[in-house]
Amino acid sequence: DQKLAAMQMLPRCRLKAVPVLAEFLPDADALIREAAMDALILAGEEAVYDLVQERLKVETDENVIHAVLRRVSPGTQRGAELIASFITSPNEDLVVAALNALSDGKSSAGKGQVASALKDSRWRVRVAALEDAGKLKVSGARDAVLAAFHDQDEFVRYAAMKAAADMKLSGAEE
């Protein structure tokens, strides 16, 4: 509890807090690692992305990874690339979270991965990818969006219609 309480104040110190927060990243308690990652990204923003990427190479706790997806800015090229790297994860929740995070940004860095996620076998991933395709106006996704009108899953079909409307696709009336 004391560690968590101490970390809540550190992001206000910005880059000065980074070395202190980095010391908590290898902690045995996943809750401490999650709070440290959250605070680290708040404190250092894009300046800590290299440190974050290094930690992600060994991090096994899903909640710590979700902290990264929650805090990294999808509006920058580096941030969008870091987020997009989770679109190929075998963990469905992480893929959906990454797609949701990407849709909040303006960077084009993840658009290729969004297009590939439209072909994923998991319906939740396809829905999230369709939502991104619509919000981000992924031009290379036109055929996949229209093909999703005939998907077996009703949620995918609905998301495809919404994406087609968002993208103002011609041929969607068929």
Side-chain angles (χ1 to χ4, degrees), residues 48-57 78 81-82:
V48 298
Y49 287 178
D50 289 337
L51 180 59
V52 170
Q53 285 180 305
E54 280 303 307
R55 179 64 203 171
L56 288 173
K57 290 177 184 176
R78 285 189 73 201
E81 288 171 359
L82 198 152

Side-chain angles (χ1 to χ4, degrees), residues 53 76-86 102 107 109-110 113:
Q53 285 180 305
T76 66
Q77 182 77 16
R78 285 189 73 201
E81 288 171 359
L82 198 152
I83 293 167
S85 70
F86 287 95
L102 273 179
S107 174
Q113 285 96 331

